[in-house]
């Protein structure tokens, strides 16, 4: 039992990378208010942003992330943007709704979610 738990724990640590935390937060289908209160995911997001972007880009991404997390802006004014049919395909969702007010986050989401 201990060997199995050790193997599972080591795989989880390997798979729990900053990029995976960022992808989890950017997938519109799984977007819930509770998701943005998970400290592990937020820590991974911060690590990814710190490692991948310059300081001025980080400010823009943080501002857009706040809009995305709190459903602020023109893209969320349409209820169809939050329906399961729209959010089940993340690339289409970001191409359709993200460009309207979240250009930095949209570019990053398309790059990360297309992998």
């Amino acid at each position: 039992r201990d060997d199995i738990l050790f193997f599972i724990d080591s795989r989880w640590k390997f798979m729990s990378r900053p990029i995976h935390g960022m992808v989890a937060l950017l997938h519109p289908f799984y977007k819930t208010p509770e998701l943005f209160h998970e400290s592990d995911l937020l820590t991974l997001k911060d690590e990814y942003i710190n490692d991948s972007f310059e300081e001025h880009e980080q400010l823009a991404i943080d501002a857009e992330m706040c809009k995305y997390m709190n459903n602020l802006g023109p893209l969320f004014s349409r209820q169809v943007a939050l329906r399961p049919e729209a959010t089940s395909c993340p690339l289409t969702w970001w191409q359709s709704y993200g460009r309207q007010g979240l250009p930095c986050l949209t570019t990053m989401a398309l790059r990360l979610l297309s992998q």
Side-chain angles (χ1 to χ4, degrees):
R1 178 178 175 263
D2 290 337
D3 291 340
I4 292 172
L5 290 176
F6 174 77
F7 178 72
I8 290 171
D9 189 49
S10 67
R11 289 300 292 169
W12 175 250
K13 287 179 184 173
F14 173 76
M15 292 300 297
S16 182
R17 302 280 185 194
I19 193 168
H20 298 124
M22 195 67 196
V23 168
L25 292 171
L26 292 175
H27 199 299
F29 187 75
Y30 302 108
K31 184 176 180 279
T32 62
E34 297 81 28
L35 184 70
F36 297 109
H37 295 294
E38 290 191 26
S39 60
D40 292 341
L41 282 179
L42 295 175
T43 300
L44 291 173
K45 172 193 76 88
D46 291 338
E47 286 179 31
Y48 178 77
I49 291 173
N50 285 335
D51 293 343
S52 303
F53 298 97
E54 299 292 326
E55 209 170 279
H56 68 280
E57 295 171 310
Q58 292 177 22
L59 292 171
I61 291 169
D62 286 340
E64 289 182 13
M65 196 69 174
C66 286
K67 290 180 184 179
Y68 174 68
M69 289 166 45
N70 294 309
N71 292 334
L72 300 173
L75 73 136
F76 297 111
S77 64
R78 296 179 53 204
Q79 286 300 315
V80 70
L82 303 175
R83 292 180 53 95
E85 300 87 18
T87 60
S88 63
C89 184
L91 295 177
T92 303
W93 189 90
W94 278 101
Q95 289 171 338
S96 300
Y97 303 107
R99 295 200 189 280
Q100 294 178 5
L102 308 173
C104 296
L105 209 54
T106 298
T107 302
M108 181 182 7
L110 290 173
R111 185 173 8 129
L112 294 177
L113 293 167
S114 67
Q115 295 182 25

